[in-house]
Amino acid sequence: MSEYTGDVTLNGGIETPVRMSGLEDMYVQPDSIDGDLDLRNVEYVFTGVPITPAADVADPVTDITGTLEDGYTEPDGVHGDLAVGTAEDVFIAHGAVDGALSARGPEQVFDAGTSNAPSRDPATYDVTVSGWQQQREVTDPNTGVVLSGCQSTVNVTGATGSVSCYLIGTNNELIVRGDASVEVHIVGRDNRVDLGPYIDVDTAVETGFDNTIDVQPFPADDLIETSEDEAYSAVTFGRAKVTYQSVAEDEDWCRGCGEAADAIIERQQKEAFFILGTPIITYEEGGGSYECEHCAHSAPDTSLTPEERREIF
């Protein structure tokens, strides 16, 4: 029997079967247990691995006990079977257990099932953050990010293409900025994912409760090609007609395409007599043409190339 104090991480250098008793919470990362995982006398189980018939875990060779806090299994951390007893919450990632997973007498099980598996194996993601109160800055991930543990924050910038995000645990925050399609999977509770306005949520799966996925609204100013001030400043002196765009206030639906939208602008015109960019006399003005993030700049380019002009004429 081995006596420990505080957090315990299984990272491959321990004889199996292993038994851990008296944990607060347990975090099982992707691709971390070669054999079976047997949970006994745990309260809540949040799992991306389907529950199977009782795992057959032999008497432990390594028995870990003491004044324990949280337990962690790293990728390739357990070469054999693991039994966990008297833990509060257990969080298990998709692909974490090669063998059987059994849960004996938990208060409640939150099971993602086989139909909600991520499109990529989380073990192949290029960034993994694990632990308590960790902070990490990640730039332009190639495949995805795994965030495992409690009260940790990962800030992703420059995301492009297709990116996968996998959260395991409780009270974590993942912030993603860039221009990408994002797949989000959450296994746990009280986690938050904050996505920027140019992030497209491809898939969002929650296994647990009280998790949130917030998508920041599209900034309307980004749709404006020419502001009112810019249009006026282009006229020094004389009568002129100017066109500009402004944010359409208090509009929830785009009158141009009929879609619900976060960012709506109105295209307006004014014909006036200008002196140094200031309209002195207004002859005509009006608007009424609306665009949003869904339809702005979406019209096809129908202009002809020089080669096409030569072929026609």
Side-chain angles (χ1 to χ4, degrees), residues 41 44-45 164:
N41 300 319
Y44 289 90
V45 178
S164 300

Side-chain angles (χ1 to χ4, degrees), residues 29-31 93-95 118-128 143-146 164 166 168 185:
Q29 291 194 42
D31 200 23
H94 174 80
S119 60
R120 294 189 182 103
D121 182 357
T124 66
Y125 295 1
D126 45 356
V127 178
T128 297
T143 54
V145 177
V146 175
S164 300
Y166 202 99
I168 317 152
H185 287 258

Side-chain angles (χ1 to χ4, degrees), residues 47-69:
T47 177
V49 177
I51 300 292
T52 55
D56 184 17
V57 177
D59 291 337
V61 173
T62 304
D63 199 353
I64 298 174
T65 187
T67 308
L68 303 182
E69 293 181 3

